[in-house]
Amino acid sequence: MKLFFVFFKYHIKERMEYRSAFIVGVCAQTLAYAANYLVVWMLMQKFGAINGWSWPEVAFLYSIGLFVYAIGASFTFVQMQSLEEMVRDGTFDIILIKPRNPFYYFVTSTFNNGYIAHLLLSGTILVWSLSQLKIEWNLLKVIYFCLNIASGSLVIAGLLTIIGSLTFRVIRLQFLFRLFNRLREFISYPISIYSLFIQILLVFIIPLAFVNFVPSSFILAKEFQYDGNITYILSPFIGPILFYIAYLFWMSNLNRYQGAGG
């Protein structure tokens, strides 16, 4: 962790050298996601509710998804996406000569603090939605909420790590990152509105439902058709398990890496 904070300090210093560009970037991302919120709000004004979910509940769901994505992606999205070019050019070899675990060094040395816009916007809307919802909070729900924020972040990081690890075999796979972003759009709304196939995909195959829908359903006391109690209990553990599997998969593929042109 000491190494991470050293990198983090230098990343901040680097961004502050171009302060105007950093501020413009934050504002641009904030406006882009604010527009997404506006689209959801307009839909809710048109239909009133989506499968029993009101606007504050959907805002709560969407905000958790964006907040969790920002945490997980700040360590993995740009890193795994840039891995393709690093492997192709041979610059990834620099990582391998460092006296640290290559995965840990890679994700911490290229930490992306540009996701601050996502955190600020989603955090603000999350607080607003909580003020509008009459949630009966207790110690269990508070702990459950915090654990699922961490677990959801690891789900995002794990899925991106799995995609990135394939670079050592395939090299060119930018389309998978685009596919991931398309799939992530499904959890902007309650997944119960989709067909059975999409629901099974998001719960059992690519577990994006555990990023926000499952914990939101528990906290908001919504019905969940897939053996809800067991799913709720498993939710805080899905992220750590998936991320550990992703890490092992990344390291396994790294062992097959033979250098640029290998």
Side-chain angles (χ1 to χ4, degrees), residues 91-228:
T91 54
F92 180 76
D93 292 9
I94 298 173
I95 305 293
L96 299 179
I97 63 174
K98 302 296 182 181
R100 288 289 185 273
N101 178 295
F103 178 81
Y104 182 77
Y105 184 91
F106 178 56
V107 299
T108 55
S109 63
T110 50
F111 174 77
N112 185 2
N113 51 26
Y115 282 96
I116 187 173
H118 302 64
L119 292 173
L120 290 174
L121 179 62
S122 60
T124 301
I125 303 297
L126 181 59
V127 171
W128 172 83
S129 63
L130 286 172
S131 70
Q132 301 298 307
L133 297 169
K134 296 180 180 179
I135 300 174
E136 295 182 3
W137 288 101
N138 52 43
L139 182 60
L140 174 62
K141 282 191 175 182
V142 172
I143 295 174
Y144 187 82
F145 178 77
C146 294
L147 288 177
N148 275 280
I149 291 294
S151 178
S153 302
L154 290 173
V155 168
I156 295 294
L159 291 174
L160 288 171
T161 298
I162 289 173
I163 296 173
S165 66
L166 296 174
T167 301
F168 296 118
R169 293 173 178 264
V170 184
I171 300 182
R172 295 184 180 276
L173 38 70
Q174 290 298 313
F175 71 95
L176 288 179
F177 290 101
R178 293 193 290 270
L179 176 61
F180 171 80
N181 284 325
R182 292 291 179 268
L183 286 174
R184 195 170 64 84
E185 291 177 1
F186 281 99
I187 62 172
S188 298
Y189 304 94
I191 68 167
S192 55
I193 69 174
Y194 303 122
S195 66
L196 181 62
F197 171 76
I198 297 296
Q199 293 184 46
I200 292 175
L201 176 69
L202 296 176
V203 174
F204 299 106
I205 302 175
I206 304 174
L208 285 170
F210 291 93
V211 169
N212 61 348
F213 180 73
V214 173
S216 295
S217 296
F218 175 79
I219 292 171
L220 298 174
K222 297 289 185 178
E223 292 185 3
F224 190 70
Q225 67 185 83
Y226 299 108
D227 210 344

Side-chain angles (χ1 to χ4, degrees), residues 37 40-41 44 48-64 125 128-129 133 187-190 212 216 220 222:
Y37 275 105
V40 177
W41 177 80
M44 299 302 298
I50 298 180
N51 201 29
W53 289 66
S54 65
W55 161 235
E57 290 173 333
V58 173
F60 178 74
L61 175 79
Y62 188 93
S63 296
I64 291 179
I125 303 297
W128 172 83
S129 63
L133 297 169
I187 62 172
S188 298
Y189 304 94
N212 61 348
S216 295
L220 298 174
K222 297 289 185 178

